[in-house]
Amino acid sequence: MISQSVWVFGAVAVALVIVAVSVGAAVGRARRLDRLHQRIIASREALSRLLLRRASEASLLAQTSPFEDGGAQTMLDIARATIHDDGDQLTTDGLDRRTTASRRADRVEVATRLERASALSRAIRDTLTPPVRAQVTADPHAAARLEALDATCYRIELTRNVHNVDVAGVRALRSARMVKLLRLAGHAPIPEPIDFDDDTHIGGRGY
């Protein structure tokens, strides 16, 4: 009888340990998901600010003396269009809780914004060729603006890469059976990556 009680006690203890471990693992995954969601939102906000800063810096640079012949007009026009864009949403997944009910209109707006970001990257890449860069750096004032633009372009690449890595991490976590079964992600939508051309150097990233 005593032996049977010991076995029952041992089985209960093992079951409690398994439950505790499972609960701990579930809580850990839920917290990690929440942290990743918050990081993704922060990355999007930072990326939106950086894209606006890049447009401002590209606009200022396009108006400096090396470009008086109009060679940077395309870069200037796209930069100004970006500056005058009132929106800052870069996805339509609704993770940041700003997506409106008119999802179709949002998708068109976001697609246009991302294409404009790609167009500005191409304009910067096509305009700031190595010979033009050499010409720009001959002017200390213009060189400072070029350095600021390059720094912002680098930060855009870095921020977008970090964002997309976090998105991939969330998607991998949410595909786990435990996460699906226990609904550890709550009602948060599955995040989308942010894809646009962010390479601003001829022949690949030159940073």
Side-chain angles (χ1 to χ4, degrees):
M1 188 71 177
I2 296 177
S3 177
Q4 184 177 1
S5 298
V6 171
W7 278 107
V8 171
F9 177 78
V12 171
V14 170
L16 289 175
V17 170
I18 293 174
V19 170
V21 170
S22 299
V23 170
V27 170
R29 290 197 178 190
R31 288 178 176 173
R32 186 181 177 193
L33 274 170
D34 184 63
R35 286 196 302 269
L36 284 173
H37 286 154
Q38 295 303 320
R39 280 179 49 172
I40 289 170
I41 292 172
S43 294
R44 290 176 180 181
E45 292 174 349
L47 186 57
S48 180
R49 291 192 299 269
L50 286 168
L51 288 173
L52 181 58
R53 181 187 300 178
R54 182 181 72 164
S56 298
E57 291 166 349
S59 176
L60 289 172
L61 183 61
Q63 298 175 68
T64 57
S65 56
F67 303 110
E68 288 179 352
D69 59 354
Q73 189 61 48
T74 299
M75 183 171 74
L76 179 59
D77 291 343
I78 299 172
R80 285 176 173 172
T82 301
I83 294 170
H84 293 147
D85 184 359
D86 294 331
D88 61 353
Q89 199 172 338
L90 299 174
T91 64
T92 57
D93 54 31
L95 183 65
D96 55 5
R97 304 183 187 281
R98 292 181 299 169
T99 304
T100 65
S102 55
R103 296 295 294 272
R104 184 173 300 175
D106 286 341
R107 291 187 185 281
V108 172
E109 179 183 334
V110 169
T112 301
R113 188 169 296 120
L114 293 178
E115 173 52 34
R116 189 182 296 121
S118 295
L120 183 54
S121 295
R122 291 191 295 269
I124 293 172
R125 186 169 62 235
D126 295 342
T127 302
L128 298 177
T129 60
V132 171
R133 284 178 171 271
Q135 184 181 7
V136 169
T137 54
D139 179 352
H141 185 60
R145 288 182 173 174
L146 177 59
E147 183 178 355
L149 176 60
D150 281 343
T152 301
C153 291
Y154 172 75
R155 291 183 63 189
I156 287 173
E157 291 185 21
L158 182 63
T159 302
R160 191 176 74 86
N161 287 338
V162 169
H163 171 274
N164 288 349
V165 167
D166 284 343
V167 167
V170 166
R171 286 173 172 262
L173 275 175
R174 293 181 63 152
S175 67
R177 185 174 301 176
M178 175 186 291
V179 175
K180 290 181 177 179
L181 183 64
L182 300 179
R183 299 181 63 86
L184 298 180
H187 298 289
I190 298 176
E192 301 171 354
I194 297 176
D195 294 318
F196 63 88
D197 182 359
D198 59 7
D199 187 4
T200 55
H201 275 67
I202 293 177
R205 289 164 174 76
Y207 301 109

